[in-house]
Structures are given as structure tokens and as C-alpha cells.
Amino acid sequence: MRLSRLPPPVPESEMTPAARAVLGFAKAEAQRLNHHYLGTEHLLLGIMRDAASDVARILASHADLGSVRTKVSEIVGVGSDASAGELPLTPRASKVLHFARREAEMYGERRIAPAHLLLGILREGEGIATHVLLELHIDMGTVRAETSRSLGPPRVRPADKPPEG
């Protein structure tokens, strides 16, 4: 059996205040569902709860928060007892944060913003958040394109350019 090693967690200091707020909303959503973990579905809900952000408006143009909450509940259910204390990230949610860091770097940003979190969810592509989006018939390519447009063109660092010749 091969075990995959998870990278260390992304520190909150590498996130914008808006991305930290999304994490707070995600934790509140997990607690509302009596879940004892923080998964991709909670990150998606957290992004959607930040109604002032461009990325939340992009998602809201495809599905409303209530529909996403309902679909999350249908897929993963509601826990029987309240969660208390820290909520550990699922392996997929941890991957999303690392993908979000890469997305931020691609756009020349030093810190992760909510749009990078959504792009991380879309890049991970297998978590509950992805299943929710698919079940709601949301075209993830369209959401990715709209989110990318909201960030402007990616910036490629000189070290990332292919060799000429």
C-alpha cells in the first residue's frame, strides 16, 4: 500500500484577510452541519457566503447559496452532535489550499485570495465541492474562465518560461 504524503498546511499568514474570512465562514458552515472536519464542500460554502467578493458573485450567477447548502447536506449529511474546537482539514481540502497557493503565484500574488481558493477547488477536481457543482449542473470550465478573468492575465515568472531555441 502506497501512502501519499501531504504537504505541510498553508499558514493563514499566506492568505488575504478576505481568504481568512472565507475560512471562518467555512468553519461556521462545517459547525452548522455538525461536521468534525473542514472539507472542500465547506470551503465552497465559505466562498459563497462572502457576498461582497467577485468570486462569490460569479458562483451566485450559477447557483444560490441555499441550493449549494442543500446539495452538500444531501451528499454528506448532517452530523448528530455539535463539533467543538479546531476542525482538521481533509486531505482534499489541504490539496485545495496548496493548489490555491500555486494559483496565487501564477497571478503574481504573494497571498491567497478567495478567487485562488475557488481555482484551487476547481483544480483539485475530485472533492465533495466538485460533486456539488456537477450535481447542480454548473459548468466548471465557465466558472474557471470567469474567475480567471476577474484576476486578470496570469503572470509567468522568468524562471517559468520555456527555454528559447
Side-chain angles (χ1 to χ4, degrees):
M1 182 168 106
R2 185 173 159 213
L3 296 176
S4 63
R5 203 186 97 187
L6 289 176
V10 174
E12 287 191 16
S13 63
E14 292 185 21
M15 298 180 190
T16 64
R20 287 193 300 269
V22 164
L23 280 183
F25 292 142
K27 289 174 185 176
E29 290 292 329
Q31 290 169 333
R32 187 183 64 76
L33 292 164
N34 293 331
H35 293 166
H36 297 269
Y37 62 91
L38 192 67
T40 63
E41 64 273 26
H42 306 114
L43 293 174
L44 178 63
L45 290 167
I47 291 167
M48 292 191 77
R49 277 194 45 187
D50 185 16
S53 78
D54 289 341
V55 72
R57 285 191 290 276
I58 289 168
L59 283 170
S61 72
H62 297 276
D64 64 274
L65 178 58
S67 298
V68 174
R69 277 183 175 149
T70 299
K71 192 55 70 178
V72 167
S73 295
E74 287 173 8
I75 293 173
V76 295
V78 176
S80 58
D81 59 334
S83 59
E86 276 302 303
L87 301 175
L89 290 171
T90 64
R92 289 195 190 281
S94 182
K95 274 186 180 178
V96 164
L97 293 180
H98 288 282
F99 288 149
R101 179 193 285 154
R102 288 186 190 163
E103 293 287 345
E105 290 169 357
M106 273 184 23
Y107 286 92
E109 302 295 333
R110 291 183 179 187
R111 296 189 300 165
I112 296 167
H116 304 128
L117 291 171
L118 179 57
L119 292 173
I121 287 170
L122 297 172
R123 184 188 269 196
E124 190 279 327
E126 295 180 17
I128 299 297
T130 298
H131 292 285
V132 168
L133 295 172
L134 290 171
E135 293 257 336
L136 292 171
H137 307 288
I138 295 171
D139 184 324
M140 293 191 297
T142 300
V143 171
R144 182 171 191 54
E146 291 171 0
T147 304
S148 294
R149 258 192 312 277
S150 78
L151 291 169
R155 298 180 186 113
V156 179
R157 296 185 316 251
D160 293 340
K161 288 184 181 177
E164 293 182 25

